[in-house]
């Protein structure tokens, strides 16, 4: 049972959606029974086919409230893991996944607590036999917390392993202390060795504490998480995990990302026959308004526009400002980087270009 805030192709802001989909799809190909839970955002509703109910609707406890939730599936999906959408319009029928205009939604703690709790209640109501619960990043990290501390869930999940994948430790789900009471989390969890972190609720920290195994995106990243530079303030906790912290290298789906067969690019090519690459290069220059120079090095980047991706380094680089290379940058994120990258493109016409309209086809072009 995968719990993820994003899943390709229904909703994505970066690599999380593809990483979860790649893992779940491969597990299904290997014969595992795989189910993915994700919120029903407007983008997911638009991408999915006919939505059909899965199991009964439930009333899910969330603090003092009781929220009605439906579980829906994409009827057009005929292979791979089953994807179950959690339908709670008051929480997920919004224009953004996590926020708007560069600001997180103020009730994100409630939105993703409801998501995790609803998924666990759905599992309890509809799934016979043993399960393994695999939560991804802070948005689903409430799941291990609830599995191990909610009195009504503990008996159901006492023998169910809880795995937490940390795709991006820079996002931890920090909320004020009032979020504890808002969600009616047991007050005894407000300690420095559980959920409290410098006077705030840290959801990712809680998920790490209560998970049986913590997985990250490569062996070297597991080592980085244990350092002050790479642990984003949680390095001591990551080190304390010992053998319960495992790095497994994320890969790509070569049926999707092979330039030999990719239908989204201008021409196909292989390592043994690169002739089509020149045509792709020219198409990229045309699409981004770059000078059609066949000899200039081109750097392409598709990414969330946030500090940890290194944009502050790129913007200060003398090589970028004065070198012969061209730059095509695709992504969305921090409004400050939108402004700075647009200024860079304006200052280097024909050599630097930025596109904030993040589409699947354009990712392939870059």
């Amino acid at each position: 049972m995968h719990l993820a805030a994003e899943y390709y192709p229904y909703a994505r802001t970066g690599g999380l959606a593809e990483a979860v989909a790649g893992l779940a799809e491969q597990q299904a190909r290997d014969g595992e029974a795989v189910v993915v839970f994700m919120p029903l955002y407007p983008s997911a509703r638009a991408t999915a086919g006919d939505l059909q109910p899965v199991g009964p609707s439930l009333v899910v406890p969330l603090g003092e409230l009781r929220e009605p939730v439906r579980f829906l599936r994409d009827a057009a999906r005929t292979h791979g893991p089953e994807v179950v959408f959690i339908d709670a319009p008051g929480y997920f029928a919004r224009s953004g996944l996590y926020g708007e205009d560069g600001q997180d939604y103020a009730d994100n703690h409630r939105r993703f607590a409801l998501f995790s709790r609803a998924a666990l209640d759905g599992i309890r109501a509809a799934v016979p036999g043993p399960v393994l619960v695999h939560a991804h990043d802070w948005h689903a990290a409430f799941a291990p917390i609830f599995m191990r501390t909610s009195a009504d869930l503990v008996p159901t999940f006492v023998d169910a392993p809880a795995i937490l994948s940390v795709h991006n430790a820079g996002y931890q789900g920090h909320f004020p202390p009032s979020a504890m009471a808002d969600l009616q989390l047991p007050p005894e969890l407000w300690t420095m060795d559980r959920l409290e972190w410098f006077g705030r609720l840290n959801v990712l920290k809680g998920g790490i504490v209560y998970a049986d195994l913590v997985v990250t995106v490569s062996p070297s990243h597991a080592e980085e998480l244990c350092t002050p530079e790479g642990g984003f303030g949680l390095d001591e906790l990551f080190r304390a995990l010992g053998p319960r912290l495992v790095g497994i290298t994320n890969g790509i789906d070569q049926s999707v990302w092979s330039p030999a067969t990719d239908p989204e690019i201008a021409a196909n090519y292989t390592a043994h026959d690169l002739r089509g690459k020149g045509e792709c290069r020219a198409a990229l220059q045309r699409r981004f308004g770059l000078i059609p120079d066949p000899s200039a090095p081109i750097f392409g980047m598709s990414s969330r526009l946030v500090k940890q991706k290194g944009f502050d380094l790129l913007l200060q680089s003398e090589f970028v400002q004065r070198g012969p290379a061209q730059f095509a940058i695709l992504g969305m994120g921090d409004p400050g980087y939108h402004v700075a990258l647009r200024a860079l493109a304006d200052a280097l016409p024909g050599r630097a270009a930025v596109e904030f309209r993040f589409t699947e086809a354009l990712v392939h072009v870059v």
Side-chain angles (χ1 to χ4, degrees), residues 82-97:
E82 181 169 12
V83 178
V84 176
F85 301 104
I86 292 177
D87 183 25
Y91 291 82
F92 302 119
R94 305 181 185 182
S95 60
L97 270 58

